Amino acid sequence: MHQSPPSDSADAKSDGFVASWRVFQTTKLYDVLCAGPLILWYGSSAGRLMPALFEKLESTDINKIDIAFVLSVLAQTAGIALIVLALIFLLVRRPAKGKAKGVMPRLAAIAGTYLGVAVVWLPPHPMGLMLSFLSLTLILCGVAFAIFSLFHLGRSFSLMAEARRLVTDGPYSSIRHPLYLGEAISMFGLTLQYLSPLALGILVLQFAFQLLRMKNEENVLASLFPEYDSYRARTARLLPGVY
């Protein structure tokens, strides 16, 4: 009776494992497992903010509430909502169809994502009426635009440089990265609540990594969707007529 050489059997098992692993990488379970550290980071960051907000509400005399207090509470609540929203879309997104190759795109995505909420671990900065109003306005405008973008992006939301489907409607009809624009506006508003040289340094560094993420994501999309080059030619990266 003929038997396959041991090397052929080992090669077949290896090929089977590689094929199974590639299939597993397209599943939702794999996507959630890869996002696990980011899910914990977002969850712990939101969890850090909530007790402080509740304590602030419980310890305040209702008769001494003024407009500055209301604006401060609303600004903090909007900051929590931004983090929770990103967490929800991270959990419900589609598995990726393609992703950037190499280590640097992943490092840029991880740094941009983690630094995005890193300021909430800094000591809060006392805010007066004007700073509270400015922080609230920026966060609400940024969050509103981010939500608008997210609902058009839907389950194609990514944190790494990945592609799920090509979205060209809504804000994406004129801006290639409207979600990043909304995040940048809201992050600036959130940073005002922790205003310091370190907080501003984190904000600048985070935005630099976001620019790298945009470039990496565009390369992935261009490799998967033939129509992306024409889409890129007629849209702005962030600000129409500017950049």
Side-chain angles (χ1 to χ4, degrees):
M1 185 171 67
H2 177 73
Q3 292 183 344
S4 298
S7 59
D8 291 346
S9 177
D11 289 343
K13 288 182 179 179
S14 177
D15 292 342
F17 175 79
V18 171
S20 298
W21 175 248
R22 288 175 177 172
V23 171
F24 179 61
Q25 286 182 305
T26 65
T27 65
K28 182 61 183 176
L29 176 59
Y30 175 83
D31 188 59
V32 171
L33 289 174
C34 289
L38 295 177
I39 292 170
L40 290 174
W41 175 245
Y42 275 114
S44 60
S45 297
R48 174 180 170 82
L49 296 178
M50 289 179 182
L53 179 59
F54 292 150
E55 182 180 352
K56 184 176 185 177
L57 292 171
E58 291 175 355
S59 62
T60 301
D61 186 347
I62 194 171
N63 296 316
K64 296 181 179 179
I65 292 178
D66 56 13
I67 186 64
F69 174 82
V70 173
L71 289 175
S72 176
V73 168
L74 290 176
Q76 288 177 275
T77 303
I80 294 171
L82 174 65
I83 297 172
V84 172
L85 185 68
L87 179 61
I88 292 172
F89 276 90
L90 180 61
L91 288 169
V92 302
R93 65 183 183 172
R94 291 185 178 93
K97 292 182 178 179
K99 60 185 68 178
K101 306 297 183 182
V103 175
M104 289 308 299
R106 288 168 174 76
L107 291 179
I110 290 171
T113 301
Y114 277 84
L115 289 173
V117 293
V119 293
V120 305
W121 296 89
L122 299 178
H125 176 76
M127 294 191 297
L129 178 60
M130 291 305 298
L131 193 59
S132 295
F133 178 76
L134 180 59
S135 174
L136 175 63
T137 301
L138 290 171
I139 291 176
L140 289 182
C141 290
V143 167
F145 192 65
I147 291 174
F148 179 54
S149 303
L150 276 170
F151 275 107
H152 281 276
L153 191 60
R155 295 176 61 204
S156 298
F157 174 59
S158 297
L159 291 179
M160 295 295 178
E162 299 171 335
R164 287 165 170 81
R165 69 184 178 94
L166 182 59
V167 180
T168 60
D169 61 339
Y172 289 88
S173 62
S174 56
I175 304 173
R176 296 196 294 277
H177 304 280
L179 180 56
Y180 286 140
L181 177 60
E183 286 180 349
I185 294 171
S186 58
M187 281 307 306
F188 182 62
L190 182 62
T191 301
L192 294 179
Q193 299 179 26
Y194 303 86
L195 196 58
S196 68
L198 179 56
L200 291 175
I202 290 174
L203 180 68
V204 171
L205 184 61
Q206 191 260 350
F207 187 69
F209 279 116
Q210 295 293 72
L211 291 176
L212 286 175
R213 291 175 74 182
M214 294 177 207
K215 181 179 179 181
N216 293 331
E217 288 177 9
E218 289 179 8
N219 290 338
V220 174
L221 289 166
S223 68
L224 284 176
F225 302 104
E227 66 272 29
Y228 189 78
D229 285 338
S230 61
Y231 166 74
R232 179 163 47 187
R234 68 175 186 271
T235 55
R237 177 169 281 175
L238 277 180
L239 297 172
V242 178
Y243 178 68

